[in-house]
Every structure is written in C-alpha cells, then in structure tokens.
Amino acid sequence: MEIKDVLHRLVYVRNKANLSARELSLRMGKSSQYVSKLESGNIVLTVEKLIDILNICNFPIERFFYENIDAYENDKTLLNLIKSLPENKKKNIIEFIDK
C-alpha cells in the first residue's frame, strides 16, 4: 500500500468516526491544523500517529489494512460463521461454491 492510499484511508477512518480534521487534531493534543497537514502529506505519518488516530476513531487496525475496507465486517462475520460449522458442512459449502 502506497502512502497516498494510507492517507486516503486515514480520511475514510476520520469520516467514519464523524470527526472533523480539527476535532481529531484537538483530541490528539495537537494544533487545529495538524490532521489536515497530515492527511495532505505535509507531516510524516508515523506508525505511532496512525495507531493513535485509529484508537481515537475506534477503528480496528486489521480493518484499516484489510484489502477491501468496506467489506471487512461482512467478511469477518462470514468467516466466523464458517469457522463455527462442522467439517462436513464446510466441505458441502466448498463443493457448492465450486460448482
């Protein structure tokens, strides 16, 4: 994932949390323009800053890096349902999908 994609996802996360850039900046204890500068690439995004933002926005790290960020919840639910099935049912589903 390129930095432009990471920054784009950062905006997505902030919007999902219904936070303005200013509000997120203040919650981080930074100046009111901090997140805007971060999202535009004018400030380097470190792993620590990213984790801080994800925590403030209550956004799972796994979802942030998931291939399809919008499909994460459905995929996770489906996987958990499949995991709970007995092996013979899993084989039935595989055979059904393969056909």
Side-chain angles (χ1 to χ4, degrees):
M1 186 180 303
E2 294 183 29
I3 189 63
K4 67 180 176 86
D5 300 319
V6 172
L7 296 176
H8 179 74
R9 284 184 178 219
L10 199 58
V11 174
Y12 175 92
V13 167
R14 181 176 55 74
N15 288 329
K16 278 293 207 185
N18 293 316
L19 293 174
S20 66
R22 181 181 184 281
E23 178 63 26
L24 180 55
S25 296
L26 297 176
R27 288 189 186 189
M28 293 177 72
K30 304 289 185 179
S31 72
S32 61
Q33 296 297 314
Y34 182 80
V35 169
S36 293
K37 290 178 181 177
L38 191 66
E39 291 174 349
S40 65
N42 292 325
I43 296 176
V44 175
L45 176 65
T46 64
V47 172
E48 293 80 13
K49 290 174 194 171
L50 176 60
I51 291 171
D52 190 26
I53 291 169
L54 294 176
N55 286 334
I56 291 168
C57 294
N58 197 29
F59 200 91
I61 294 170
E62 301 84 21
R63 183 176 178 192
F64 185 83
F65 289 105
Y66 195 69
E67 181 180 1
N68 184 339
I69 199 168
D70 290 318
Y72 175 81
E73 290 298 328
N74 285 337
D75 289 356
K76 183 178 172 186
T77 300
L78 183 58
L79 182 59
N80 287 335
L81 289 170
I82 291 170
K83 283 180 181 179
S84 69
L85 293 172
E87 287 303 313
N88 65 324
K89 298 284 185 183
K90 291 177 186 177
K91 289 179 183 177
N92 290 342
I93 291 172
I94 291 169
E95 289 173 6
F96 176 77
I97 293 173
D98 279 344
K99 291 182 182 178

